Amino acid sequence: MPTNGVNRALKLQFGLINYENRYLTAEAFGFKVNASGVSMKKKQIWTLEQDEQDGQVVFLRSHLLRYLASDKDGKIICEADKPDPECRFLIVPQSDGRWALQSVPYLRYFGGSADYLSCFSQAIGEQELWAVHLALHPQASLLSVARKRYAHLSSSDGEISVDSNIPWGVDSLVTLVYLDGKYSLKTCDSRFLRNDGKLVKESTNATCFTLELKSGKLAFKDCDGKYLTPVGPTGTLRSGRCSKPGKDELFDLEESHPQVIFQAANKRFVSVKQGVSISANQDVETDMETFQMEIDKASKKSMFRTNGGSYWTLVTHGEIQSTATEVEVNTMFDIEWRGKRVALKASNGKYVCTKKNGQLSAVSDAVGDDELFLMKLINRPMLILRGENGFVCHHKNSNALDANRSIYDIFWLIFNDGAYNIKSQCVSGKFWYVSSSGLVCSDGEKSEDFFLEFLEHGRIAIKSSNGKYLRGDQGGTLMGDGASVDASSLWEY
């Protein structure tokens, strides 16, 4: 459901970890369920759905789109393709952030280990407790449910303020860092939020929060048992006095769309500063020169939203204006990826060009200098990649990168004239490159250019300077040898 009309709230997906540190797993064979998974891959990811009549009741859906259920004898099954009464559970949160799951019809608790799972216990013991590991992409916009405002880094005040009407620019990106069952909130300049509202460079006990769920919303509990809440007129994010989460302590995570800046052949930035017409006539990058790129799921075409909430649209005589308030055919553009530059094709089949006065118009049949734009992604200074088999992470014992991990490493994304360099955040700060054998390595002394192609809603392809795409291979290694884009070379970012 869109909040404030900008982005969608993310559907909560997570892994559930039992008392033996094993993940709840849904097997394809016979729809069997066990608690044997050692890490969070596709089979260990569960989606939370709320009952429409009773917000406290939840359903747990496996990756096979089947629902977890318990019968009257406590037998666990995961076969139903629609939620029936035996699929109804209540989450009973514990003080340490773990969950107990109670069957609604039979009032028994779900637990166990390996192949011995049941929902028959009348009381909550250690075996009935599950730790929650979020499976969402960890970079998102954070929305206060009570204030209906977004969190953003306020560098002048050195705090996170919850007072934005829309999540605009790099300051509105929040990265959730997961460690040992707790979460930290990291700002775009790589600082952690402490429970007193201060931003600090190093992670400590005071920057770690337990994630709690209430009516499908998130609450962050600190080491003293208090909850993060917006405080005062600017909504400073810090721990309040409450030891129980009310509406003021609840948040939604929303998907963070890419936000981009365009520079035309005249070296000036495309802007809406002059009113409704879209023109390349500015020399500085502000919110007026920043556009949110939203990719249509069906057609894969792109829409560009201004910070005022309107869309680029094709009007008479081929002019591009920011007058559309709804998505329709004329607001959709095809992007052609041409190395360090892009070309945009409007719904009339013509390419967008920059006229002498800077005005953008879709009147060209072919691509020359005036039809090429430099496009710069501004709201991903930190890059976290998740592919079809898991996250990209440094390999333990080599310079290679894994593409199938349940934990993620954070990398720096550095813009370089239409290309990007990718750099490790660890002390060495070395660069990514593709080796002669096609391996993506993370120990380069010199930067190598990579090209981001925004191809699908929420997913990019990354092309290396050898013209091949980055992909996760069967063994879980990140390779730079993909000839074309398929499921193995699309990345959530």
Side-chain angles (χ1 to χ4, degrees):
M1 196 174 91
T3 325
N4 285 14
V6 180
N7 298 346
R8 296 180 316 151
L10 290 160
K11 208 164 214 162
L12 283 179
Q13 293 186 312
F14 44 75
L16 289 169
I17 307 168
N18 75 351
Y19 68 105
E20 294 180 331
N21 214 26
R22 291 287 188 265
Y23 284 84
L24 184 66
T25 302
E27 303 288 0
F29 179 72
F31 298 113
K32 287 190 164 48
V33 182
N34 60 53
S36 306
V38 292
S39 66
M40 188 168 61
K41 307 273 177 63
K42 189 187 276 182
K43 294 196 290 190
Q44 286 78 31
I45 291 177
W46 297 83
T47 302
L48 189 81
E49 293 182 3
Q50 279 175 274
D51 182 63
E52 286 176 6
Q53 270 69 51
D54 182 348
Q56 296 303 313
V57 173
V58 298
F59 304 105
L60 293 171
R61 197 182 76 199
S62 76
H63 70 106
L64 301 164
L65 308 184
R66 304 293 173 126
Y67 290 88
L68 192 74
S70 162
D71 69 9
K72 64 182 190 307
D73 302 319
K75 185 182 173 204
I76 288 294
I77 33 198
C78 194
E79 289 180 13
D81 55 5
K82 289 193 176 66
D84 60 38
E86 292 192 330
C87 302
R88 291 160 64 86
F89 288 91
L90 286 178
I91 294 170
V92 184
Q94 306 301 297
S95 59
D96 63 0
R98 287 188 292 176
W99 291 357
L101 291 166
Q102 185 181 34
S103 161
V104 171
Y106 308 116
L107 304 179
R108 302 292 178 102
Y109 293 96
F110 170 49
S113 66
D115 292 319
Y116 303 101
L117 297 176
S118 70
C119 190
F120 206 65
S121 175
Q122 292 181 308
I124 301 170
E126 190 63 15
Q127 292 204 8
E128 286 72 43
L129 290 176
W130 299 88
V132 183
H133 183 178
L134 276 191
L136 305 169
H137 191 280
Q139 292 179 306
S141 305
L142 189 68
L143 176 80
S144 160
V145 172
R147 295 203 179 198
K148 294 192 170 62
R149 294 289 181 274
Y150 291 90
H152 67 99
L153 170 65
S154 173
S155 33
S156 55
D157 302 321
E159 63 182 32
I160 295 178
S161 300
V162 185
D163 62 355
S164 275
N165 288 325
I166 50 175
W168 209 255
V170 64
D171 295 348
S172 297
L173 186 73
V174 175
T175 302
L176 289 178
V177 180
Y178 177 77
L179 187 67
D180 299 331
K182 300 274 176 81
Y183 285 87
S184 301
L185 292 174
K186 203 173 196 181
T187 55
C188 62
D189 63 358
S190 229
R191 289 186 291 171
F192 294 96
L193 176 69
R194 206 165 61 190
N195 57 358
D196 62 359
K198 298 275 187 293
L199 295 172
V200 293
K201 285 282 183 198
E202 301 297 325
S203 179
T204 63
N205 199 30
T207 66
C208 293
F209 300 88
T210 302
L211 216 52
E212 289 190 6
L213 207 65
K214 188 178 176 187
S215 308
K217 309 295 181 194
L218 296 174
F220 296 88
K221 185 168 77 171
D222 74 6
C223 52
D224 300 324
K226 305 294 190 212
Y227 290 84
L228 283 184
T229 186
V231 176
T234 61
T236 303
L237 193 59
R238 53 169 300 170
S239 292
R241 299 199 182 104
C242 293
S243 47
K244 268 201 173 144
K247 194 175 181 184
D248 286 339
E249 288 73 39
L250 295 182
F251 297 88
D252 249 336
L253 283 177
E254 291 189 2
E255 62 182 344
S256 171
H257 289 281
Q259 291 178 345
V260 297
I261 282 168
F262 289 100
Q263 193 177 29
N266 63 8
K267 299 290 185 229
R268 308 191 81 184
F269 296 113
V270 173
S271 178
V272 287
K273 197 166 190 177
Q274 55 289 323
V276 296
S277 67
I278 310 275
S279 289
N281 61 5
Q282 295 299 312
D283 298 316
V284 288
E285 303 173 18
T286 73
D287 286 350
M288 295 277 193
E289 290 73 46
T290 302
F291 302 99
Q292 180 159 289
M293 187 159 114
E294 300 172 13
I295 299 178
D296 181 58
K297 285 186 175 169
S299 69
K300 311 281 197 288
K301 291 175 191 284
S302 295
M303 288 83 72
F304 300 103
R305 188 197 280 262
T306 71
N307 75 326
S310 59
Y311 289 95
W312 290 21
T313 187
L314 176 70
V315 297
T316 48
H317 311 304
E319 200 178 324
I320 307 296
Q321 293 188 348
S322 61
T323 49
T325 52
E326 302 287 328
V327 170
E328 36 100 16
V329 170
N330 285 343
T331 63
M332 295 193 182
F333 296 83
D334 279 308
I335 300 183
E336 290 185 7
W337 306 98
R338 295 172 172 248
K340 293 188 171 188
R341 299 294 183 266
V342 298
L344 304 175
K345 192 185 268 186
S347 56
N348 61 0
K350 304 280 189 182
Y351 289 101
V352 176
C353 76
T354 311
K355 289 184 160 180
K356 290 276 184 285
N357 63 358
Q359 168 67 47
L360 298 199
S361 290
V363 292
S364 300
D365 294 316
V367 176
D369 285 350
D370 289 340
E371 289 74 32
L372 289 174
F373 296 88
L374 176 140
M375 187 174 93
K376 174 183 172 186
L377 175 68
I378 62 135
N379 64 336
R380 288 295 184 282
M382 296 183 287
L383 187 68
I384 295 170
L385 294 175
R386 183 168 82 159
E388 61 173 350
N389 296 311
F391 287 103
V392 172
C393 198
H394 287 104
H395 192 281
K396 282 197 181 76
N397 305 314
S398 78
N399 62 351
L401 291 155
D402 292 329
N404 64 349
R405 300 283 292 280
S406 60
I407 54 168
Y408 45 86
D409 279 331
I410 300 175
F411 302 93
W412 291 116
L413 190 65
I414 301 159
F415 184 71
N416 179 23
D417 187 36
Y420 295 85
N421 308 135
I422 304 171
K423 190 177 182 182
S424 296
Q425 267 207 356
C426 54
V427 186
S428 63
K430 299 288 177 70
F431 290 95
W432 285 22
Y433 65 96
V434 179
S435 73
S436 54
S437 60
L439 271 175
V440 182
C441 302
S442 60
D443 62 344
E445 294 294 339
K446 289 203 311 227
S447 57
E448 184 171 305
D449 282 348
F450 291 89
F451 303 92
L452 305 190
E453 298 182 0
F454 300 80
L455 299 180
E456 289 191 7
H457 179 91
R459 284 172 173 75
I460 53 170
I462 303 175
K463 191 185 262 188
S464 66
S465 42
N466 66 10
K468 305 283 190 188
Y469 289 97
L470 270 49
R471 66 179 185 93
D473 73 2
Q474 291 299 312
T477 303
L478 186 64
M479 303 295 293
D481 62 359
S484 60
V485 176
D486 58 21
S488 71
S489 49
L490 282 171
W491 306 94
E492 284 181 61
Y493 61 100

